[in-house]
Amino acid sequence: MTASRRTLKVGVVQQQGWPDKDTSLAASEAAIRRLAADGAELVTLQELHASHYFCQTEDTEIFDLAEPLDGPTTQRLAGLAAELGLVIVGSIFERRAAGVYHNTAVVLDKAAGLVGTFRKMHIPDDPGFYEKFYFTPGDAPSAQAPRRGFEPIDTSVGRLGVQVCWDQWYPEGARLMALAGAEMLLYPTAIGWDPRDDEAEQTRQKDAWTLIQRSHGVANGVPVIVANRVGHEVDPTPASEGIQFWGGSFICGPQGELLAHGGTEPEELLVELDLARGEDVRRIWPYLRDRRIDAYGDLTERYRDR
């Protein structure tokens, strides 16, 4: 016997970003409206979609781009969610307090408005991706605030396991979301190539990025929804040739099967998911049942060097 069918139309926006917020948000809004017209009930936007990817350099003036949680970007997305009757996963450069800034996913649910947030947990610091200069990691859960860290967000369309970009490389976060009942994993992303890398290296990088996220679907029996940006963004310093964001946004099912896969240009993806398939898959491949939780204690160690 299979689980009862429950479908959900899921959309992904893959777009360019501009330093000007109005231009970037206008592109986001136009894409959301197109997806809504085609029946989308849930739309995911890419990481930092309201601006260019500013982390290629360290510049204190860029902090002026940051907004509070209830700032203009969130309000604009909330208005769209209410008007169009859908759930939107957006992304903001959050100013939490003076000197405390986050890379934050915001979830807007129809008339309910802002129903949840996820502050990026893993923060990279590599050439061209100097995110530690700008972003404080999200808080880990505690006895006083248990709903921090890798905690799914309940919405009218289901329980969403939202993470952000660099988080997508870590199976621990995906597993924790699944163990808390996430029905799907969503990753707003900003990743691309160094134009100086040769084609073979670029192919390996993009293939690895797609593969690791599809594997989260397989290991946890849930769909995975990924939104990445496109276009070349210049490095304001002479340190590099900028970043060529590779697009490749995709939606896959609970066995990692690709249901929609974007190219390298701005576009929207739309898929009707059968959310009950995860139940069927977990009955056949019961990974959660067979986990040896009594033997995993060292996962909280940095490295097993004793």
Side-chain angles (χ1 to χ4, degrees), residues 243-265:
I243 300 174
Q244 181 66 43
F245 291 98
W246 64 48
S249 304
F250 67 89
I251 301 168
C252 75
Q255 289 175 297
E257 67 275 24
L258 282 172
L259 304 175
H261 198 182
T264 58
E265 299 296 327

Side-chain angles (χ1 to χ4, degrees), residues 11 18 21 74 76 113 143-144 153 207 211 249 258 271-272:
W18 291 267
K21 282 188 180 181
T74 299
R76 184 166 181 172
Q144 293 73 33
I153 298 168
D207 286 351
L211 182 62
S249 304
L258 282 172
V271 166
E272 184 171 78

Side-chain angles (χ1 to χ4, degrees), residues 194-277:
D194 183 333
R196 295 169 296 187
D197 287 335
D198 62 31
E199 184 177 347
E201 174 60 19
Q202 290 181 350
T203 298
R204 286 190 293 268
Q205 290 177 7
K206 186 179 179 184
D207 286 351
W209 173 81
T210 306
L211 182 62
I212 188 66
Q213 293 175 95
R214 291 174 67 186
S215 76
H216 298 330
V218 175
N220 295 291
V222 293
V224 179
I225 301 160
V226 182
N228 191 27
R229 69 205 290 133
V230 293
H232 181 263
E233 297 189 18
V234 300
D235 184 343
T237 75
S240 76
E241 297 180 13
I243 300 174
Q244 181 66 43
F245 291 98
W246 64 48
S249 304
F250 67 89
I251 301 168
C252 75
Q255 289 175 297
E257 67 275 24
L258 282 172
L259 304 175
H261 198 182
T264 58
E265 299 296 327
E267 63 179 300
E268 295 94 49
L269 309 179
L270 183 65
V271 166
E272 184 171 78
L273 291 177
D274 178 4
L275 296 182
R277 256 186 52 71

